[in-house]
Amino acid sequence: MSEELYNQIDGHLRVLKFKGMIPMYRELSARAAAGNLLYEEYLALLLEEEVKRKTEVSVKTKIQLSRLPYQKTLEEFEFSFQPALKEKEVIKLSSLDFIEQKENVLFLGPPGVGKTHLAVGLAMKACMARYRVLFTTAQKLIEELVLSKRDGSIMEKLMAYSRLHLLIIDELGYMPITREQANLLFQLISIRYEKGSIILTSNYNFDEWGKVFDDNVVASAIIDRLVHHANVFYITGGSYRLKNKLKKAK
Ligand code: ADP
Ligand code: MG
């Protein structure tokens, strides 16, 4: 085959952004020409490469945009270390039906029991399914909302959050939340209520949220909306971080 023809094909594939085909088609064309492939088989193989590459790129982009603190999968989670945690119920969430149903997921429990890991694992699955996902901490989220309120961009900010399929709010409870902050958080939870899923992690159970929020009325209103369609997991076991420390110390 002439170099000129190859250059022409390469050019077309670049314009079409079918870059996955470029390294593949010469060898495949040679195989097809040798009579081993039907036209349709050739086309199917070539397209498959492109679909594979495009999917990989899109998942990678989703993961980057989601700002996960680290990448860990649900498969890496040792459920045997948290026997009280209902493995089946957590694994059921991998189907991501909860995102379709706009339900929330709450992981509650002391530090080190794997709340963030589970949230990240589900977030990775959502990215792979190409949902719009954003991971943030309660503190960062509240700071952002307060700043947006001050500079008059709060509605835009809330709208941006409402467009996500899945919002992860990590570590609610590490910082006390003032009345103004709680009101903003309430607005955010309200705008997503029955419209988009939230995964929230907290080191406090609901009955202790009074310690976190200055304003009990807003706290109850937030809990009310969060919990209405929620899968709540109380993780009561020991810290995985400590487990590794204890092992090393031996
Ligand atoms: P939390 O958010 O509850 O404080 P993390 O999810 O940050 O805890 O877990 C702390 C560390 O221990 C992370 O590196 C996490 O991947 C790991 N980890 C926690 N629980 C498990 C588990 N059951 N199996 C595997 N790794 C775990
Ligand atoms: Mg955590």
Side-chain angles (χ1 to χ4, degrees):
M1 205 51 62
S2 77
E3 236 2 83
E4 198 183 329
L5 190 53
Y6 281 140
N7 289 339
Q8 203 184 346
I9 297 173
D10 286 356
H12 288 327
L13 292 176
R14 275 201 199 93
V15 172
L16 290 169
K17 298 195 162 55
F18 287 179
K19 287 189 193 150
M21 290 186 183
I22 294 176
M24 289 302 296
Y25 81 87
R26 293 183 194 210
E27 189 214 313
L28 275 179
S29 305
R31 266 176 63 197
N36 295 328
L37 292 177
L38 298 173
Y39 286 124
E40 288 82 357
E41 285 173 336
Y42 169 75
L43 189 60
L45 281 174
L46 213 49
L47 291 174
E48 197 181 303
E49 283 308 313
E50 187 54 33
V51 169
K52 222 194 297 170
R53 194 194 65 94
K54 279 211 160 48
T55 309
E56 270 166 25
V57 170
S58 139
V59 168
K60 220 171 131 193
T61 310
K62 290 281 180 218
I63 289 179
Q64 270 165 6
L65 289 175
S66 71
R67 302 202 213 134
L68 296 178
Y70 51 73
Q71 290 184 24
K72 284 204 180 172
T73 60
L74 279 188
E75 288 73 21
E76 287 172 85
F77 194 83
E78 282 175 51
F79 283 93
S80 56
F81 189 73
Q82 294 297 346
L85 177 65
K86 293 189 184 113
E87 174 174 359
K88 270 204 191 121
E89 303 280 308
V90 177
I91 296 300
K92 219 161 74 189
L93 297 175
S94 321
S95 70
L96 305 180
D97 280 351
F98 77 96
I99 297 181
E100 285 301 314
Q101 305 298 323
K102 330 249 184 258
E103 292 171 3
N104 299 328
V105 178
L106 282 81
F107 294 116
L108 308 176
V113 294
K115 302 181 298 294
T116 304
H117 183 144
L118 292 169
V120 166
L122 286 172
M124 299 243 321
K125 293 241 185 279
C127 289
M128 284 172 202
R130 285 181 280 169
Y131 284 110
R132 285 188 298 278
V133 179
L134 185 74
F135 183 104
T136 185
T137 62
Q139 195 185 344
K140 204 167 139 212
L141 175 68
I142 287 168
E143 274 168 19
E144 251 185 50
L145 292 176
V146 169
L147 283 177
S148 305
K149 172 99 184 171
R150 304 250 152 92
D151 71 18
S153 63
I154 186 71
M155 270 331 282
E156 285 157 44
K157 189 97 233 163
L158 289 172
M159 288 318 289
Y161 278 118
S162 74
R163 281 191 286 269
L164 299 163
H165 293 112
L166 175 62
L167 174 67
I168 296 119
I169 307 174
D170 198 27
E171 298 191 339
L172 185 91
Y174 281 102
M175 298 285 288
I177 296 173
T178 65
R179 178 165 299 178
E180 185 205 5
Q181 292 171 337
N183 274 315
L184 289 168
L185 194 61
F186 173 71
Q187 282 186 48
L188 173 85
I189 305 285
S190 300
I191 213 162
R192 288 191 64 78
Y193 178 62
E194 296 183 338
K195 293 210 190 69
S197 299
I198 292 175
I199 299 182
L200 181 127
T201 83
S202 175
N203 52 332
Y204 285 109
N205 287 342
F206 300 122
D207 54 358
E208 301 168 307
W209 279 26
K211 291 185 207 158
V212 180
F213 287 88
D214 271 359
D215 186 324
N216 268 324
V217 179
V218 188
S220 321
I222 290 176
I223 293 173
D224 196 55
R225 275 164 186 70
L226 269 179
V227 176
H228 185 199
H229 306 288
N231 307 270
V232 186
F233 297 91
Y234 299 94
I235 315 179
T236 48
S239 164
Y240 196 86
R241 289 193 192 99
L242 242 69
K243 165 197 150 168
N244 284 340
K245 283 266 151 47
L246 294 175
K247 249 197 215 157
K248 272 180 203 153
K250 270 185 197 164

